[in-house]
Amino acid sequence: MKIIMLGAPGAGKGTQARMMTEKYEIPQISTGDIFRENIRNQTELGKKAKSYIDQGLLVPDELTLDLVLDRLSGEDCKDGYILDGFPRTIPQAEALTAALEEKGEKIDFAIDVEVPDDNIVQRMSGRRVCPKCGATYHIRYNMPEKEGLCDECGTELIQREDDSPKTVQKRLVVYHEQTQPLIDYYRRKGCLYAVDGTRSTDEVFQEICSVFG
């Protein structure tokens, strides 16, 4: 199964992808992980990506696609994979489609985890993280035993800058402008399946599994 996860930041698609990886034993692949791995291993593609990242620039689509396709050629991807966070734009999607078609392959499922913007802002602005051990909490859905303190190490919890309501709303604007058109793109391809992301994690997962049959 070749799967793409779609949905706004904070919709829970990463969590669902991890659960799918465990159940179906196919890797979850994110561009962030690919960039970090190539940079750490100092590959030629990694060096090119680092030159853009170090300047605070976006890695160009062509280079990002090369990195993704290199990762998809890995032995662990032979039975399928879950793309989480790529493609982000129509040009990236078109380039991915063309590259897969050259190998006689295609995306089987594009799963759109639908969550209204108001819910997203509430979810993400309520997140708290431990700056020491990285544990995550939520002021409504996953509270620590002692308010404001990490259960694991007792460190005072913080709200990340990109989880503030103002930043979340900016990220949603970018998502609707750039990434949401992918929903129409994959709908035209006949492989889009929308699931209700407002329910519990397990309920969303069950619906996704029912899509695969």
Side-chain angles (χ1 to χ4, degrees), residues 49-117:
K50 188 174 187 296
S51 69
Y52 288 97
I53 293 166
D54 285 351
Q55 297 176 70
L57 301 172
L58 288 174
V59 178
D61 282 355
E62 189 177 344
L63 178 54
T64 301
L65 183 68
D66 286 345
L67 284 157
V68 170
L69 292 175
D70 180 66
R71 176 67 184 88
L72 299 186
S73 67
E75 180 65 20
D76 61 338
C77 293
K78 69 181 190 301
D79 294 327
Y81 45 79
I82 305 156
L83 283 172
D84 177 19
F86 182 89
R88 288 184 184 273
T89 63
I90 294 294
Q92 288 181 353
E94 290 172 341
L96 177 64
T97 296
L100 291 177
E101 283 177 351
E102 278 184 20
K103 300 193 291 181
E105 299 174 2
K106 64 180 177 63
I107 295 299
D108 299 304
F109 300 95
I111 304 296
D112 176 27
V113 183
E114 293 184 326
V115 180
D117 285 3

Side-chain angles (χ1 to χ4, degrees), residues 6 9 11 13 38 59 76 99 112 121 129 147 154 181 197 201:
L6 299 171
K13 56 187 184 295
N38 277 272
V59 178
D76 61 338
D112 176 27
V121 173
V129 298
E147 187 177 345
T201 301

Side-chain angles (χ1 to χ4, degrees), residues 199-213:
R199 295 165 305 158
S200 73
T201 301
D202 287 338
E203 286 174 320
V204 176
F205 185 61
Q206 284 171 10
E207 186 178 351
I208 290 173
C209 293
S210 72
V211 166
F212 302 148

Side-chain angles (χ1 to χ4, degrees), residues 129 158-168 170-171:
V129 298
I158 62 168
Q159 182 183 53
R160 292 188 316 199
E161 175 60 35
D162 59 357
D163 283 342
S164 70
K166 194 173 179 180
T167 305
V168 172
K170 281 183 184 174
R171 290 173 69 189

